[in-house]
Amino acid sequence: IGTLFAFASLGVRPDIVTIAKALSNGVPIGAVLIDARAASGLQPGDHGTTFGGSPIPCAAALAHLHIRDEIGLDAHVIDVGQRLLSGLEALARRYPNVFGKPRGRGLMLGLPICTTHGTKTFVDDAREHEQLLINGAGDNTLRFVPPLVITKEQVDDMLARFARVCERVIGSPR
């Protein structure tokens, strides 16, 4: 999405935010961010967590947040996410009877399929012939959610591989 929390790009401020394994880059942790008004309704014992507060996950979370800031991850995600979106939009224009307009934000993108091809055909071909891992969100949307640290060159490579998948599954564009 390009921001640590999706709400930051939407102009809203939630009362409560829950976060978990992404906070510590996969190490088991859970946390709740809650504003004072909402917190005033909690009493001791109202909330507990299996993965909150132990030293190793907390150290991992702090290191992750530090590295994220150090490398400018939010700006990077916006930049390479736009590159991926532009590439998917080009494929949708190339195959207008097959794909709809890509949707999503940052590096969480979906490519709607508007025909009976279904996601499985694309997913299976991508894995088998291109060593490309994509998945389907249901049977009518291909989901592209690469690692946040993906490079522009890797995005270009992914798009080239997926274009070859499209040529095999759909055929040459008219």
Side-chain angles (χ1 to χ4, degrees), residues 7-172:
F7 70 81
S9 64
L10 300 174
V12 298
R13 186 176 186 273
D15 299 327
I16 299 172
V17 176
T18 59
I19 51 180
K21 59 185 164 182
L23 174 63
S24 61
N25 218 21
V27 176
I29 192 169
V32 175
L33 308 176
I34 185 167
D35 73 9
R37 186 184 58 76
S40 68
L42 292 176
Q43 300 299 317
D46 283 352
H47 175 68
T49 178
T50 304
F51 294 121
S54 65
I56 292 174
C58 287
L62 288 172
H64 174 227
L65 291 171
H66 173 74
I67 291 168
R68 177 184 183 85
D69 289 344
E70 191 175 279
I71 66 172
L73 190 61
D74 291 352
H76 172 78
V77 168
I78 291 168
D79 187 34
V80 295
Q82 184 56 53
R83 190 179 196 103
L84 177 56
L85 177 62
S86 295
L88 293 176
E89 287 171 340
L91 278 168
R93 285 191 303 274
R94 197 169 166 203
Y95 296 100
N97 296 325
V98 178
F99 299 122
K101 181 178 166 81
R103 59 183 182 257
R105 291 197 170 137
L107 288 170
M108 295 179 69
L109 299 173
L111 181 63
I113 300 174
C114 305
T115 67
T116 57
H117 283 92
T119 58
K120 186 173 181 350
T121 306
F122 291 96
V123 169
D124 290 350
D125 187 278
R127 185 185 61 249
E128 182 178 335
H129 297 287
E130 298 294 336
Q131 292 75 50
L132 178 63
L133 297 177
I134 57 175
N135 66 353
D139 198 41
N140 63 357
T141 302
L142 290 167
R143 186 175 3 205
F144 294 82
V145 189
L148 299 181
V149 294
I150 192 170
T151 65
K152 290 178 181 180
E153 295 78 19
Q154 289 168 327
V155 166
D156 293 345
D157 181 58
M158 178 175 62
L159 289 165
R161 290 173 190 234
F162 186 65
R164 291 191 297 266
V165 170
C166 292
E167 289 177 13
R168 277 191 299 277
V169 172
I170 304 164
S172 295

